[in-house]
Amino acid sequence: MAFYQSSCIKISDTKICPHCTAPTLIKNGFTANRKQQFYCKTCTKRCIDFYTSKGCSKEINAHIIMLIKEGMGIRSMARVLCISTTTLLKRIVFIAKGVQSPPIYSGQIYEVDEMRTFLRHKGKVIWIVYALDRVNKNVISFAVGSRTKKTLNQVIKTVVLSNPKRIYTDGLIHYKFLIHNTIHKVTRFGTNRIERKNLSLRTQLKRLNRRSICFSKSLLVLSAVLRIYFWL
């Protein structure tokens, strides 16, 4: 995946006012950090030669991915990277859009389970449904939403299209209507691997911790974080 890098254009190169786009800039001293300041004779506004931000660094995306996998929260990452939370959230969503889901092979054995978490406040429950390849322990599909057939079917449909050998689930009744009984299995230790994955998720992602004040405020950011965690 190519890392995003924003460019910082110098005003002294273009000689155009960023506010009114008029070529009527004149030099107007220096700022405290010794950057050239300009004054526009058309709109009477001032601007500096160029703005520097750590958010423009080409290594910032790699650092964001690493810190997400280490379980840091949004504000903690923003403090460590010295960027604003708004910039960080935009970057997370941008990175997630470029992440491709892994290839799915036919004839595999899968485990499907749901994980309970919260959105915006502790009174609003939301569920993470995902499918795990039993052999290589890779997550092949996930969905975030209410614990209904519609949300479950987003994952089950992807799994069924791969012509699986077996699909193990817990005793949730919705699966009986979504998976054919010839490949659907509900056994005592059938979902051991995905349950262990649930524990790893709660340990490594701060927003999924139990008995914590941490929770997700945005469905978009939650999905983006999971996409990065699962597939990068």
Side-chain angles (χ1 to χ4, degrees):
M1 187 186 111
F3 290 136
Y4 171 75
Q5 181 179 9
S6 55
S7 59
C8 299
I9 301 173
K10 288 189 176 183
I11 301 297
S12 57
D13 295 334
T14 62
K15 305 294 185 182
I16 295 175
C17 176
H19 304 291
C20 65
T21 67
T24 55
L25 291 176
I26 60 172
K27 291 184 178 180
N28 189 244
F30 294 88
T31 61
N33 55 357
R34 305 305 300 166
K35 290 183 181 178
Q36 180 65 58
Q37 185 172 257
F38 293 90
Y39 172 80
C40 179
K41 293 190 289 186
T42 301
C43 66
T44 68
K45 292 183 178 179
R46 289 176 172 81
C47 57
I48 63 175
D49 196 6
F50 62 95
Y51 295 88
T52 54
S53 170
K54 291 182 183 279
C56 297
S57 173
K58 63 181 180 180
E59 296 89 10
I60 198 72
N61 284 8
H63 293 158
I64 291 173
I65 294 169
M66 178 187 67
L67 294 178
I68 285 176
K69 289 180 172 290
E70 289 298 322
M72 292 188 68
I74 296 297
R75 287 177 176 80
S76 300
M77 282 190 282
R79 286 193 296 269
V80 169
L81 298 175
C82 298
I83 60 177
S84 69
T85 55
T86 303
T87 300
L88 177 60
L89 291 172
K90 289 180 179 178
R91 283 301 185 91
I92 290 174
V93 174
F94 180 86
I95 295 169
K97 287 181 179 178
V99 177
Q100 300 294 326
S101 57
I104 304 175
Y105 303 99
S106 61
Q108 301 297 315
I109 300 175
Y110 299 102
E111 298 178 14
V112 181
D113 197 19
E114 323 86 50
M115 179 186 293
R116 183 175 180 264
T117 185
F118 305 98
L119 186 68
R120 296 190 182 93
H121 54 82
K122 288 298 182 78
K124 184 174 182 180
V125 176
I126 198 167
W127 295 84
I128 301 169
V129 184
Y130 67 102
L132 186 77
D133 189 320
R134 176 173 274 195
V135 176
N136 54 33
K137 297 181 176 62
N138 290 334
V139 175
I140 63 163
S141 179
F142 77 92
V144 182
S146 55
R147 200 183 192 188
T148 60
K149 290 181 183 179
K150 182 179 179 181
T151 305
L152 297 173
N153 197 39
Q154 294 179 41
V155 176
I156 297 300
K157 186 187 297 184
T158 303
V159 176
V160 171
L161 286 175
S162 68
N163 191 24
K165 186 183 295 184
R166 283 188 299 277
I167 301 175
Y168 288 90
T169 69
D170 55 17
L172 187 64
I173 192 171
H174 296 327
Y175 291 117
K176 296 181 180 180
F177 304 100
L178 299 174
I179 309 173
H180 198 275
N181 56 11
T182 56
I183 59 174
H184 185 208
K185 302 294 180 183
V186 180
T187 60
R188 184 180 178 185
F189 302 108
T191 57
N192 272 12
R193 292 164 183 81
I194 198 167
E195 293 289 354
R196 181 61 183 83
K197 184 72 173 180
N198 289 346
L199 179 59
S200 297
L201 279 169
R202 295 197 183 280
T203 303
Q204 297 172 3
L205 291 182
K206 193 172 184 180
R207 64 186 63 234
L208 300 181
N209 287 355
R210 291 187 184 273
R211 296 184 179 181
S212 169
I213 62 173
C214 302
F215 55 88
S216 300
K217 293 185 178 181
S218 168
L219 181 62
L220 178 64
V221 175
L222 174 59
S223 299
V225 167
L226 290 173
R227 196 172 184 85
I228 293 169
Y229 179 83
F230 286 145
W231 296 333
L232 276 183

